[in-house]
Amino acid sequence: MKHTHKRTKIVATLGPASAKKEMLLSMIKAGVNVCRLNFSHGSQEVHQQVINTIREINEQYKTHVGILADLQGPKIRIGMVQDGGINLINGTQIDITTRELIGNDKEIYITYDTFPNDVQANEIILLDDGKIQMRVISTNKKDTVTCEIVHGGILTSRKGVNLPNTKVSIPSLTDEDLSNLDLALKNDVEWIGMSFVRTADDIVQLKRIISQSGKTAKVIAKIEKPEAIDNIDAIIAVTDGVMVARGDLGVEMPMEQVPVLQKMIARKCREASKPVIVATQMLESMITTPRPTRAEVNDVANSVLDGADAVMLSGETSVGEFPLIVIETMSKIIKNIEETAYPYHTPKKLNVESPTYMADAVCGSAVYLSEKSSAVGIVSMTSSGYTAFEISSHRPKATTFIFTSNKTLLNSLSLLWGVRGFYYDKYVSTDESISDVNSILLSENLVEPGEVVINTASMPIEQKGKTNMIRVTVL
């Protein structure tokens, strides 16, 4: 085939550096598949403008770029401190209080009302991504916690707080999250990122709100707390996708465990046919330089090899100096791995007890046939998207071409490994529809005469049931 197509997708966080239409269009052409809106920063008005720009590009250029609205969640921060920051010295004591004040070297304010009630003596408190460490000496269970500074440094305003040993009682969705969720759902955003997920119930609660709103947004569970690792199987079972959020995860847990956890989560998600995003500090140095470090290149490459559906950029594209070069760099790394070293057709066990076992078996057989016949494409028609998720999870070398009449689904599929989506609504007969979609691929020069594709569909096609048919087609 003449057309090269990267299978591992790129999620780019948008911000001041990338929100303008011309820049965003260039980034999409260079390889961006999903745009992330980080609701930890920016006003709702700014996010609305960005959503409008993405939709405008999709409409004008017939692209299917998805949107991931990433809710902040119960992020704990310290308040404002005196100008220039405060110098925390090892071995000294400091009070953390829930009474709002300007922090100094004697006391600082925390945005977590029940903090004095939730912490115990000897628990660890980490500030500013773990750069500063404290140990709890005592709490008055009302409004003040006295701590000893274990590893000090300069502390500036609004830094994040991590509590790796504490059972945090803040709800998973704050009032601010609910307001931002409302904005995202009004705009029919395809993916909602839920931060600091602890249990499967957190996901169920969010899904209930989405369902009651009459919307179809899918949920990404961000894994960044020890409780989430403890409950990982239950979380994967109820969510639509997962993000390995390595920033907070590497602070809340021993950082040396994160690489193994990344591999474990990627494997479990693939087995469950759920997309997985690997995120945080992937090309961090490119915020200020046009070339990545060799370690960063290795990190992106290894995340691709681990089986990530998508790799994500944060500050590199939202506030960095070289957003377009970052996307071009990441695309190059992905394509090189996929052309030289990718473990396609990774074995996958099917669950005989699953109610979807027969459809899963058909999808698995289509992937097997694509390997044995050296097919260039697996061409499927779907209304729910289930077939796309299932075929993608087998990691076939053949490109997965998905045709659907569901326009919202098209943008959702932009996150899935190896999937390319097309709008199609002429469901007349199985033979005619298969001939039709194959002709579309030929006319778009995505496949060539003489090449093999594997077609899957449901028969009778007009009922739009579960996939139950495979056909090998020589074009």
Side-chain angles (χ1 to χ4, degrees), residues 35-47:
C35 293
R36 171 179 174 251
L37 308 179
N38 183 2
F39 279 100
S40 297
H41 304 285
S43 66
Q44 289 197 349
E45 291 73 27
V46 168
H47 289 304

Side-chain angles (χ1 to χ4, degrees), residues 15-150:
S18 51
K20 294 268 191 311
K21 185 178 178 182
E22 297 74 22
M23 174 56 75
L24 182 52
L25 181 59
S26 298
M27 289 166 62
I28 290 167
K29 286 177 178 175
V32 169
N33 304 100
V34 177
C35 293
R36 171 179 174 251
L37 308 179
N38 183 2
F39 279 100
S40 297
H41 304 285
S43 66
Q44 289 197 349
E45 291 73 27
V46 168
H47 289 304
Q48 183 64 62
Q49 287 169 8
V50 174
I51 292 170
N52 294 345
T53 303
I54 297 164
R55 299 294 193 222
E56 201 179 297
I57 289 172
N58 278 345
E59 186 68 32
Q60 191 175 344
Y61 294 92
K62 302 294 179 271
T63 49
H64 304 298
V65 175
I67 299 175
L68 165 59
D70 198 338
L71 305 177
Q72 178 175 316
K75 180 73 175 175
I76 304 165
R77 296 185 184 277
I78 61 152
M80 302 299 290
V81 302
Q82 60 195 31
D83 289 347
I86 50 179
N87 187 14
L88 303 179
I89 297 164
N90 293 3
T92 59
Q93 292 187 8
I94 191 166
D95 286 342
I96 300 179
T97 179
T98 55
R99 291 175 287 105
E100 194 161 353
L101 48 78
I102 301 296
N104 54 53
D105 58 3
K106 296 287 186 288
E107 58 181 346
I108 50 177
Y109 165 65
I110 191 169
T111 63
Y112 172 10
D113 291 341
T114 54
F115 175 64
N117 240 342
D118 292 349
V119 294
Q120 310 288 334
N122 291 317
E123 287 184 350
I124 296 297
I125 301 172
L126 301 170
L127 288 78
D128 193 7
D129 287 338
K131 296 184 185 78
I132 293 171
Q133 182 177 325
M134 300 179 183
R135 182 178 60 84
V136 175
I137 294 174
S138 63
T139 170
N140 68 359
K141 295 290 181 186
K142 182 183 162 196
D143 61 6
T144 304
V145 175
T146 302
C147 301
E148 180 191 3
I149 296 159
V150 180

Side-chain angles (χ1 to χ4, degrees), residues 36 47 56 64 87 139-140 176 267 294 330 342 344 346 452:
R36 171 179 174 251
H47 289 304
E56 201 179 297
H64 304 298
N87 187 14
T139 170
N140 68 359
E176 187 180 348
R267 175 177 51 78
R294 304 304 173 268
M330 192 166 252
Y342 196 86
Y344 295 105
T346 312
V452 176

Side-chain angles (χ1 to χ4, degrees), residues 421-462:
F422 301 84
Y423 181 73
Y424 183 80
D425 62 355
K426 302 174 198 165
Y427 295 94
V428 184
S429 71
T430 305
D431 282 349
E432 198 172 322
S433 293
I434 285 175
S435 176
D436 212 8
V437 296
N438 289 347
S439 296
I440 291 169
L441 295 177
L442 281 164
S443 66
E444 299 266 343
N445 296 317
L446 295 169
V447 294
E448 295 177 358
E451 291 183 323
V452 176
V453 295
I454 309 298
N455 291 102
T456 76
S458 64
M459 294 179 67
I461 200 162
E462 63 275 7

Side-chain angles (χ1 to χ4, degrees), residues 188-254:
D188 291 312
V189 163
E190 293 80 24
W191 295 94
I192 307 291
M194 188 175 199
S195 297
F196 303 106
V197 170
R198 287 165 278 188
T199 67
D201 285 343
D202 294 338
I203 301 295
V204 171
Q205 180 192 352
L206 174 55
K207 285 194 154 194
R208 191 178 297 123
I209 295 169
I210 294 169
S211 176
Q212 287 168 352
S213 303
K215 300 296 184 177
T216 58
K218 297 181 186 300
V219 175
I220 297 280
K222 293 174 66 180
I223 307 301
E224 47 199 333
K225 293 192 75 63
E227 298 101 302
I229 296 296
D230 293 340
N231 299 311
I232 193 67
D233 290 330
I235 289 169
I236 290 173
V238 297
T239 192
D240 301 301
V242 168
M243 182 190 295
V244 187
R246 304 180 305 181
D248 280 287
L249 186 62
V251 175
E252 296 258 348
M253 299 193 70

